[in-house]
Amino acid sequence: MSSTNNVHGMDTDCMTLTRFLISEQRKCGQATGSLTILLNQLMTAIKAIASAVKKAGIANLYGIAGTANTSGDEQKKLDVLANDLFVNMLRSSGETALLVSEENENVIEVEVANQGKYVVCFDPLDGSSNIDCLVSIGSIFGIYQKKSTDAPSASDALRPGNELVASGYALFGAGCMVVLTTGCGVNGFTLDPNLGDFVLTHPMMQIKPRGKIYSLNEGYSQYWDAGMKKYIDSLKFPEDSKKAPYSARYIGSMVADVHRTILYGGIFLYPSNSKSPKGKLRLLYEGNPMAHIVEQAGGAASTGKGRILDVVPTNIHERVPVVLGSKDDVADCLAALASQ
């Protein structure tokens, strides 16, 4: 960007998220602007969550709310707040017909007067077990266009991830960042506290073909099958003595771990094991959106047996094994799994 657009340290021609969406909208002749409106409502919820996370200790938002979500996890106060923000912003947008949240056992049908044409699946606050110790947490969402003209029902959400029209995540850490794809690459936007808006800081993000980092919970290694043990051992103890072993990095918040994988390359895994044969992560609002983003960034995302985005769900809270990241690293993992 030319220096004429930077006056006294301020960019006077910055690419905000709203400006970016409008620009992308104009490239599509049939676009109505409804997805732009929906995404702007999502950003309002994310800004509010970012604010709540920053002042959680002062506002007494740490701790357990006294209830459990659909995964059986104890809900934290911020979980409940984040879910309410997502639901209320999406319901009032006039662009959604059905919502699926990790925090709600059943689908949320939007009132007829406010119904639009989109179905949104979301995890309002991923990694909430890390809230009280100030580790990075995030939000994940995936958006489908409703196909049927019937009244909204769970069947509108039970679709493979290859039908997603947009996916994204927000990361709440040292700053607040949103990473988004609408099917034409991946772009990252950072919240500028002075503007109160997200600004494009990471255009057309791409994952390296191969990285040097692996990320998974090795505490479950006793439950892994032989193929997974073989693969992880190959990273830690390479056959070529001149080749450095991979570094292990695991935060325990999917958003943070996947974000690092996209930026630095490598592989993120939450595989199936003898204790959790179907995996642990949820397909609709964790596996699918992240797989969509990773593939759009040039990476790969698999269940260990096939492409995550091709899985047809049968339940809104269905679980799925996850292996995603750099293409070459994922290919090596799949080869090790297939060899056993």
Side-chain angles (χ1 to χ4, degrees), residues 8 145 199 218:
H8 302 300
Q145 188 165 338
V199 177
E218 292 197 69

Side-chain angles (χ1 to χ4, degrees), residues 185-219:
V186 177
N187 292 277
F189 303 83
T190 302
L191 182 61
D192 184 331
N194 295 318
L195 284 179
D197 206 349
F198 289 96
V199 177
L200 180 64
T201 52
H202 295 66
M204 295 305 293
M205 298 168 72
Q206 286 285 301
I207 302 177
K208 298 175 183 176
R210 183 178 295 280
K212 298 179 180 179
I213 298 171
Y214 73 96
S215 179
L216 85 166
N217 187 345
E218 292 197 69

Side-chain angles (χ1 to χ4, degrees), residues 292-303:
H292 189 203
I293 293 166
V294 166
E295 285 197 6
Q296 283 291 315
S302 173
T303 64

Side-chain angles (χ1 to χ4, degrees), residues 210-231:
R210 183 178 295 280
K212 298 179 180 179
I213 298 171
Y214 73 96
S215 179
L216 85 166
N217 187 345
E218 292 197 69
Y220 290 112
S221 60
Q222 63 177 309
Y223 304 117
W224 295 343
D225 60 28
M228 185 55 64
K229 290 179 180 178
K230 176 183 177 181
Y231 175 66

Side-chain angles (χ1 to χ4, degrees), residues 115-315:
Q115 279 183 13
K117 62 181 181 181
Y118 292 105
V119 175
V120 185
C121 305
F122 56 91
D123 181 350
L125 205 60
D126 171 70
S128 57
S129 61
N130 287 320
I131 289 173
D132 293 359
C133 59
L134 301 181
V135 173
S136 295
I137 52 181
S139 302
I140 311 171
F141 60 88
I143 302 172
Y144 296 90
Q145 188 165 338
K146 188 174 180 292
K147 282 185 171 181
S148 72
T149 55
D150 300 331
S153 67
S155 62
D156 291 306
L158 297 177
R159 294 155 61 186
N162 55 39
E163 295 182 13
L164 284 163
V165 297
S167 298
Y169 62 79
L171 179 64
F172 311 111
C176 177
M177 185 172 181
V178 166
V179 174
L180 176 71
T181 181
T182 56
C184 299
V186 177
N187 292 277
F189 303 83
T190 302
L191 182 61
D192 184 331
N194 295 318
L195 284 179
D197 206 349
F198 289 96
V199 177
L200 180 64
T201 52
H202 295 66
M204 295 305 293
M205 298 168 72
Q206 286 285 301
I207 302 177
K208 298 175 183 176
R210 183 178 295 280
K212 298 179 180 179
I213 298 171
Y214 73 96
S215 179
L216 85 166
N217 187 345
E218 292 197 69
Y220 290 112
S221 60
Q222 63 177 309
Y223 304 117
W224 295 343
D225 60 28
M228 185 55 64
K229 290 179 180 178
K230 176 183 177 181
Y231 175 66
I232 298 302
D233 282 347
S234 74
L235 301 180
K236 297 161 69 174
F237 311 104
E239 292 182 2
D240 184 350
S241 60
K242 296 181 180 179
K243 186 178 179 181
Y246 274 49
S247 296
R249 299 285 186 272
Y250 185 69
I251 297 169
S253 294
M254 186 186 190
V255 171
D257 283 314
V258 172
H259 185 65
R260 182 195 57 247
T261 302
I262 292 172
L263 290 181
Y264 301 153
I267 190 166
F268 168 84
L269 311 99
Y270 213 117
S272 59
N273 56 52
S274 60
K275 191 174 182 180
S276 303
K278 295 183 179 180
K280 184 180 178 183
L281 298 176
R282 305 293 182 152
L283 176 61
L284 288 186
Y285 40 79
E286 292 174 324
N288 274 341
M290 287 305 201
H292 189 203
I293 293 166
V294 166
E295 285 197 6
Q296 283 291 315
S302 173
T303 64
K305 296 180 179 179
R307 187 172 174 237
I308 290 175
L309 294 179
D310 290 337
V311 177
V312 180
T314 57
N315 181 282

Side-chain angles (χ1 to χ4, degrees), residues 1-36:
M1 192 169 286
S2 65
S3 59
T4 56
N5 293 328
N6 196 307
V7 180
H8 302 300
M10 177 175 285
D11 185 358
T12 59
D13 191 28
C14 59
M15 179 62 77
T16 65
L17 178 53
T18 301
R19 180 179 172 183
F20 175 84
L21 291 172
I22 292 171
S23 175
E24 292 298 299
Q25 178 185 317
R26 286 173 178 161
K27 296 176 185 177
C28 182
Q30 297 179 337
T32 62
S34 57
L35 182 59
T36 299

